[in-house]
Amino acid sequence: MPAPLPRAFYDRPATDVARALLGTILTHGSTSGRIVETEAYLGLQDRAAHSWRGITPRTQVLFGDPGHAYVYLIYGMYECLNVVAEPQGSPGCVLIRALEPLSGIPRMRSRRGGMAGVENLANGPGKLTLAMGITRRHNGADLTGGPLTIRPAEHPEDIRIQVSPRIGIKHCADWPLRFFIQGSRFVSR
DNA sequence: CAATAGATCATCT
DNA sequence: GATGATCTATTGC
């Protein structure tokens, strides 16, 4: 099993990290999946980003070291996983929106309630945290070593990236900051 | 198939 | 007190 991506991988603009994360492998315990869809959130100039107003108790991790997880509760019901990018003090991050399940699929299915097909196990930000067992306990977790890690893509050269506006936001709704693997059946709708 | 409603709560005003 | 980086079930055509 290859080593987790190093901190330097995350220490660059959020948009670059969002593209580079496509094809990499998120692992938590027995479950793992290939990242097929991401969105970049830019920080102070991006009104769709949580961090656009500056540091609050919630956005603190976004201003910290890159390579850590930012997990928050949305709509009182689901949690979303982000990866902190950019150097300390610069709050860019990347939302992980969809996974292609690779291992631990029965475990994922039972966490999701037992009936979902493989394409529907983790094809959305709230679904993938549920399937992978990721919760707010992982907020601030170091992704370069620990129970939750991201490992290099297996065939990065084969990946074709497609770009679109981000989903489900009100501000900056036309910025082309959503990235996904062309042709993947595991991308959200 | 498309549109809509409802669930539910931490965070910030 | 309003809002939201969602999801599922249900209704309507």
Side-chain angles (χ1 to χ4, degrees):
Chain A
M1 194 142 81
L5 293 166
R7 187 143 348 263
F9 177 91
Y10 304 98
D11 195 354
R12 48 182 164 157
T15 310
D16 294 356
V17 177
R19 303 182 86 106
L21 278 173
L22 292 177
T24 62
I25 296 171
L26 178 69
T27 303
H28 184 224
S30 63
T31 55
S32 71
R34 185 166 170 257
I35 296 176
V36 297
E37 179 180 353
T38 59
E39 281 179 2
Y41 286 84
L42 303 186
L44 301 173
Q45 73 273 27
D46 179 4
R47 270 195 87 178
H50 288 167
S51 56
W52 77 277
R53 277 187 194 270
I55 300 188
T56 70
R58 179 172 67 158
T59 62
Q60 200 175 6
V61 281
L62 292 172
F63 288 83
D65 274 336
H68 292 260
Y70 167 57
V71 185
Y72 69 93
L73 183 71
I74 186 67
Y75 299 124
M77 195 155 301
Y78 298 97
E79 348 219 9
C80 292
L81 170 67
N82 294 249
V83 166
V84 178
E86 304 180 6
Q88 187 163 35
S90 183
C93 70
V94 177
L95 171 69
I96 311 300
R97 282 195 61 87
L99 298 177
E100 171 181 343
L102 292 179
S103 66
I105 292 177
R107 188 76 214 284
M108 292 192 193
R109 205 188 312 275
S110 74
R111 286 201 275 234
R112 288 269 332 214
M115 296 209 323
V118 203
E119 295 100 353
N120 284 339
L121 276 180
N123 62 336
K127 298 185 199 176
L128 78 87
T129 51
L130 236 187
M132 297 284 295
I134 296 169
T135 70
R136 278 163 290 168
R137 290 198 331 278
H138 297 96
N139 191 38
D142 187 354
L143 299 169
T144 68
L148 187 61
T149 54
I150 302 181
R151 291 164 204 282
E154 307 196 331
H155 300 291
E157 65 281 357
D158 295 343
I159 294 172
R160 287 283 166 280
I161 298 180
Q162 209 151 2
V163 184
S164 85
R166 294 173 292 184
I167 291 182
I169 54 171
K170 324 197 80 153
H171 297 287
C172 313
D174 52 347
W175 294 13
L177 294 177
R178 171 174 175 254
F179 306 94
F180 56 99
I181 295 182
Q182 188 169 56
S184 171
R185 292 152 35 230
F186 302 91
V187 166
S188 73
R189 321 222 233 129

